[in-house]
Amino acid sequence: MLVRRDKTKLFPGSRIAIAILVGILLGCICTILFPNGFFSSRSSSVHERLSKSTSKVGSVSCESPERITMLKTDFALISEKNAELRKQVRELTEKVRLAEQGSENARKQVLVLGSEIKAGPFGTVKSLRTNPTVVPDESVNPRLAKLLEKVAINKEVIVVLANSNVKQMLELQIASVKRVGVQNYLVVALDDSIENFCKSNEVAYYKRDPDKAVDTVGENGDNHAVSGLKFRVLREFLQLGYGVLLSDVDILFFQNPFSHLYRDSDVESMSDGHDNETAYGFNDVFDEPSMGWARYAHTMRIWVFNSGFFYLRPTLPSIDLLDRVADTLSKSEAWDQAVFNEQLFFPSHPGYTGLHASKRVMDMYEFMNSKTLFKTVRKNQELKKLKPVIIHLNYHPDKLERMQAVVEFYVNGKQDALDSFPDGSE
C-alpha cells in the first residue's frame, strides 16, 4: 500500500497529461476526416436547395403551360389511384363483414358441438343452422384448385355450365355480368366452341378432363341433360373448399348477387313461387267430406326451390345433396329439379334417412323468376321500380327473345319492352 501511494505522488499530473494527448489525437483525426469543417456540408446543401428552388420558380414563370399540363396529368393519376383505393376499401369492408359473419357462425358451432350446454330462458334458445365447412382437399383436382385461386373472391365463385346450344344466351349473360362488374364468374365449357368463345371474350373458363360418359351429355345434351350434369361437376368445387353460386345460362344479372346472400344455411336457393305464400310456404287445407268431423286436413305447402340458381356452402350436407341427386339421376329419367327438392324436403321415415341440410329461400323480388316478372311485376307501377339482383327466364320457352326484352327494360329504360309478351307461353 505504501508503495502505491508513493508512485501516485511521483506523477501527480499524469492523468491531465493523458487527457491532453487524447484531445490532440482527436483533433488530428477530425482535421483529416473533415477538412472543410463540420458545418460546411450543411451550408452548401442549403445553398444548393435555395438555388434549385430559385431556378424552379424561374422555370415555372417561363414554362407555366407545360407545368399546368404536368399538374393536370398528376391530378388525373391521383384521382385514378383514389378510385382504386375506394374500391379496395369497399372490398375490405365486405371481407370484414364476411369474416364477422363467419366468426359468429363458428362461435355458435363451438358452443353447440364443443360441450354440453343448458337451455336458456324462454325465448332465448336458438338452434344451429350453419354446418362447419369441409377441410379443402386440393388433391381432388389440382388444376381446378389453381384456377379457382385466381378467379374466386372470398372463396366464392359463380359457376355456369354451357355448350354451343346455349351460346347466344351465354353471350347475353356474360354481358350482364361484365356490366355489373362481377369478377368471380367461371364458365364450365362443355365443348370446344364455348372454350374458344370464352378465350376470345376474355372470360374465365374451365374445361374438364375427358370423361366419355359425362362429356357426351355435356357436348350433345339439351338443357335438362346439362342441368343434371351440374350436380356431378359442382362436387369438386365444394371439396376444394369454395362456396358455389350455380347459375343456368337463361339468367341475367343486374346486381352483384354475393352482396345479397345470407350464408347461414347449407343451401340458399331462388324459388319457383310467385307470391309470398307460394315462395315462402303456406298452410293448405285439404277437404275430404267423406271423413265427416275430420274432413279438413292441414298440409304445409311450398313451391319448389329452383335448381337453376342456388348457392351451396362447402359443407358435408351440401356434398351429400349433390351425391344423392347425381346418383338418383343416373338410375332414372327423372327431372333434376324434382329430385333436387325431394332430397331437400323429404323427411326421414322407415326405410329412408333424409338429408339433414339447412335451407333458405331467396327474396323472390331480388332473385326473380319470369313468372313473377311477366305475371305480376310488369303490371304494377311500384314493383316496376324495383331493381332485381337477377332474373331467371325459367318459365318460358322463348328465352332468348325475353332475355333481350328484359335487357331493354332494365338496362336501356324502354318501358314498353315487356308489353308484347303474354303472361305464359301460349
Side-chain angles (χ1 to χ4, degrees):
M1 295 296 292
L2 291 174
V3 176
R4 289 178 182 174
R5 278 197 291 267
D6 291 342
K7 287 183 178 180
T8 55
K9 287 178 181 179
L10 290 173
F11 302 97
S14 60
R15 295 181 180 177
I16 296 173
I18 292 171
I20 292 172
L21 289 172
V22 171
I24 293 171
L25 289 172
L26 289 174
C28 294
I29 293 171
C30 291
T31 302
I32 295 170
L33 296 177
F34 304 98
N36 296 323
F38 286 99
F39 304 100
S40 60
S41 61
R42 296 182 181 176
S43 61
S44 62
S45 64
V46 171
H47 286 301
E48 289 175 2
R49 286 196 296 271
L50 287 173
S51 62
K52 287 180 180 179
S53 62
T54 304
S55 63
K56 285 182 179 179
V57 171
S59 63
V60 168
S61 62
C62 297
E63 301 176 2
S64 57
E66 291 80 2
R67 183 64 175 169
I68 290 172
T69 302
M70 292 175 62
L71 289 173
K72 287 182 178 179
T73 303
D74 292 342
F75 180 78
L77 292 173
I78 292 172
S79 300
E80 185 177 347
K81 289 182 179 179
N82 285 338
E84 292 178 359
L85 287 173
R86 285 195 295 269
K87 181 180 179 181
Q88 291 176 2
V89 168
R90 289 195 297 269
E91 291 177 352
L92 288 173
T93 302
E94 180 66 14
K95 287 182 179 180
V96 169
R97 186 185 69 81
L98 292 175
E100 290 176 347
Q101 186 183 60
S103 62
E104 177 63 15
N105 291 335
R107 185 186 67 83
K108 292 178 180 178
Q109 190 73 33
V110 170
L111 288 175
V112 173
L113 299 180
S115 60
E116 295 180 352
I117 59 174
K118 293 182 178 179
F122 180 83
T124 64
V125 177
K126 301 294 181 184
S127 61
L128 182 70
R129 291 183 53 80
T130 309
N131 282 294
T133 57
V134 298
V135 177
D137 183 7
E138 293 189 2
S139 65
V140 170
N141 191 330
R143 184 166 64 90
L144 179 59
K146 290 182 180 180
L147 176 61
L148 291 177
E149 286 179 2
K150 299 177 182 178
V151 177
I153 297 176
N154 299 326
K155 300 287 286 187
E156 295 177 322
V157 63
I158 297 175
V159 176
V160 182
L161 277 70
N163 59 22
S164 56
N165 294 335
V166 295
K167 185 177 179 179
Q168 287 182 298
M169 288 190 288
L170 181 64
E171 289 182 28
L172 286 175
Q173 182 178 94
I174 290 174
S176 73
V177 168
K178 291 183 176 181
R179 189 162 48 241
V180 173
V182 175
Q183 301 295 322
N184 47 338
Y185 175 88
L186 181 68
V187 175
V188 177
L190 299 178
D191 56 31
D192 295 337
S193 174
I194 296 299
E195 179 182 10
N196 294 330
F197 170 78
C198 290
K199 285 181 180 179
S200 61
N201 288 274
E202 297 182 345
V203 176
Y205 73 93
Y206 170 63
K207 188 74 179 296
R208 300 173 59 255
D209 293 329
D211 182 342
K212 291 183 179 180
V214 174
D215 290 342
T216 301
V217 175
E219 293 177 358
N220 306 316
D222 58 12
N223 289 347
H224 284 298
V226 173
S227 189
L229 172 64
K230 65 194 174 193
F231 295 98
R232 289 186 177 274
V233 175
L234 293 182
R235 192 185 203 278
E236 292 182 344
F237 288 80
L238 299 186
Q239 284 182 277
L240 293 171
Y242 289 85
V244 176
L245 184 57
L246 185 280
S247 173
D248 281 354
V249 292
D250 57 341
I251 290 175
L252 294 167
F253 292 78
F254 301 97
Q255 297 185 62
N256 190 330
F258 291 109
S259 300
H260 298 264
L261 298 177
Y262 285 81
R263 301 175 179 85
D264 63 347
S265 305
D266 299 304
V267 182
E268 199 166 341
S269 176
M270 72 173 295
S271 173
D272 267 4
H274 60 93
D275 55 24
N276 285 339
E277 286 191 343
T278 56
Y280 309 137
F282 63 102
N283 181 8
D284 185 35
V285 180
F286 176 77
D287 184 10
E288 190 176 5
S290 63
M291 287 297 296
W293 175 81
R295 63 183 292 180
Y296 300 112
H298 290 257
T299 67
M300 302 310 300
R301 299 277 302 278
I302 184 173
W303 285 29
V304 294
F305 282 11
N306 189 284
S307 63
F309 192 87
F310 57 82
Y311 175 77
L312 296 179
R313 292 181 60 247
T315 65
L316 290 178
S318 296
I319 296 175
D320 190 6
L321 170 65
L322 295 179
D323 289 350
R324 288 174 180 234
V325 176
D327 181 64
T328 302
L329 293 176
S330 68
K331 299 175 180 177
S332 66
E333 297 295 327
W335 182 28
D336 70 281
Q337 181 160 288
V339 176
F340 178 71
N341 282 270
E342 290 169 1
Q343 295 296 337
L344 275 175
F345 289 99
F346 282 179
S348 299
H349 55 262
Y352 174 77
T353 301
L355 178 72
H356 300 289
S358 55
K359 302 171 286 292
R360 171 179 282 275
V361 182
M362 294 174 173
D363 186 304
M364 68 174 180
Y365 290 121
E366 289 187 340
F367 300 88
M368 192 186 304
N369 62 57
S370 57
K371 180 175 183 177
T372 303
L373 173 63
F374 285 97
K375 184 178 179 181
T376 305
V377 172
R378 67 168 174 169
K379 302 175 184 178
N380 185 299
Q381 293 303 316
E382 292 302 316
L383 293 178
K384 286 173 70 174
K385 298 176 183 178
L386 296 177
K387 184 180 181 180
V389 178
I390 63 107
I391 291 180
H392 189 180
L393 280 299
N394 59 314
Y395 268 102
H396 299 89
D398 50 341
K399 297 179 183 296
L400 182 61
E401 293 78 7
R402 292 191 186 238
M403 288 178 73
Q404 292 168 338
V406 168
V407 172
E408 287 294 323
F409 180 82
Y410 282 103
V411 178
N412 300 327
K414 188 178 180 181
Q415 293 300 304
D416 61 347
L418 306 176
D419 294 350
S420 62
F421 295 92
D423 289 353
S425 57
E426 65 272 15

